[in-house]
């Protein structure tokens, strides 16, 4: 008798499980993209929703992506939001280094994108290839007064922001050759 009750309860549990599974399969699922372009799955209909079945493949989900139109005024405003500032060397600094090395530190705000690059200008000429970092080391800078400026470039190489020029003085020991 006990074996019969145990078998009966297993059959009941199996039947209940199948009923819940069938109910889940019968439920309708809807998919649509919200205003931000994110896929939303729901069991309630939406005006832009498409009904999908549990057997649907991912290719059947609508692939509409929202497009944001930008005009030249938006791009100009975006370019103007970047600010570039020379942190090091300070203005009117005297650098004493016999190798002529100068450390240049740049601060860009807000943080620039990965495709942007920084170009260092010494006396109006680019001295290092544009790079996507903010600390540089110039080597073999001659004695005397120099103007330093940095520029932030976009992915196309266009200047989108630049720092104010900064003056520094390089002091290097001079060697006098005996005659």
């Amino acid at each position: 008798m006990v074996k019969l009750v145990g078998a009966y309860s297993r059959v009941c549990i199996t039947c209940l499980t199948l009923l819940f599974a069938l109910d889940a399969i019968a439920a309708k699922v809807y998919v649509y993209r919200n205003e931000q372009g994110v896929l939303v799955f729901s069991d309630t209909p939406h005006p832009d929703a498409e009904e999908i079945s549990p057997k649907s493949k991912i290719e059947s989900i609508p692939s509409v992506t929202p497009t944001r139109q930008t005009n030249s005024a938006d791009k100009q405003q975006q370019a103007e939001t970047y600010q570039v500032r020379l942190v090091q060397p300070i203005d009117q600094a005297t650098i004493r280094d016999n190798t002529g090395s100068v450390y240049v530190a740049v601060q860009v705000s807000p943080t620039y994108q990965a495709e942007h690059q920084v170009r260092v200008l010494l006396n109006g000429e680019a001295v290092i290839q544009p790079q996507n970092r903010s600390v540089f080391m110039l080597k073999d800078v001659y004695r005397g007064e120099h103007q330093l400026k940095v520029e932030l470039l976009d992915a196309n190489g266009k200047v989108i922001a630049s720092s104010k020029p900064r003056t520094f003085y390089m002091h290097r020991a001079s060697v006098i050759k005996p005659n």
Side-chain angles (χ1 to χ4, degrees):
M1 181 80 171
V2 174
K3 286 185 177 185
L4 186 60
V5 173
Y8 179 72
S9 63
R10 277 190 231 128
V11 170
C12 286
I13 291 174
T14 305
C15 287
L16 285 174
T17 305
L18 286 173
L19 283 175
F20 285 124
L22 288 174
D23 187 44
I25 291 173
K28 294 182 180 181
V29 178
Y30 301 92
V31 63
Y32 66 96
R33 289 191 183 270
N34 65 11
E35 298 81 37
Q36 292 79 28
V38 177
L39 279 177
V40 177
F41 293 88
S42 175
D43 59 352
T44 57
H46 185 271
D48 299 329
E50 180 180 316
E51 185 180 336
I52 60 171
S53 72
K55 296 179 183 179
S56 293
K57 294 184 179 179
I58 195 73
E59 293 85 35
S60 70
I61 296 173
S63 62
V64 178
T65 56
T67 56
R68 182 176 178 249
Q69 295 186 4
T70 58
N71 57 24
S72 60
D74 288 342
K75 290 180 183 177
Q76 182 68 21
Q77 183 181 12
Q78 181 184 9
E80 292 174 3
T81 60
Y82 285 103
Q83 294 181 350
V84 180
R85 186 174 76 86
L86 274 163
V87 177
Q88 186 179 341
I90 60 172
D91 196 30
Q92 303 296 320
T94 299
I95 300 171
R96 293 173 181 11
D97 189 308
N98 286 336
T99 64
S101 298
V102 178
Y103 290 96
V104 178
V106 180
Q107 180 182 27
V108 179
S109 60
T111 303
Y112 56 94
Q113 304 297 319
E115 66 269 6
H116 292 161
Q117 294 186 323
V118 177
R119 176 170 53 194
V120 178
L121 304 171
L122 182 65
N123 302 323
E125 294 184 29
V127 290
I128 296 178
Q129 289 292 324
Q131 299 176 17
N132 60 357
R133 57 185 173 160
S134 59
V135 178
F136 303 88
M137 187 169 113
L138 306 181
K139 297 181 180 180
D140 261 351
V141 176
Y142 294 112
R143 293 174 53 147
E145 179 181 324
H146 299 280
Q147 289 285 321
L148 189 64
K149 185 177 178 179
V150 292
E151 298 173 332
L152 182 63
L153 309 175
D154 67 7
N156 299 322
K158 179 184 171 193
V159 176
I160 57 174
S162 62
S163 71
K164 293 179 181 177
R166 187 166 282 185
T167 302
F168 71 93
Y169 304 93
M170 175 57 74
H171 279 233
R172 293 175 76 171
S174 61
V175 178
I176 302 173
K177 296 182 181 180
N179 291 340

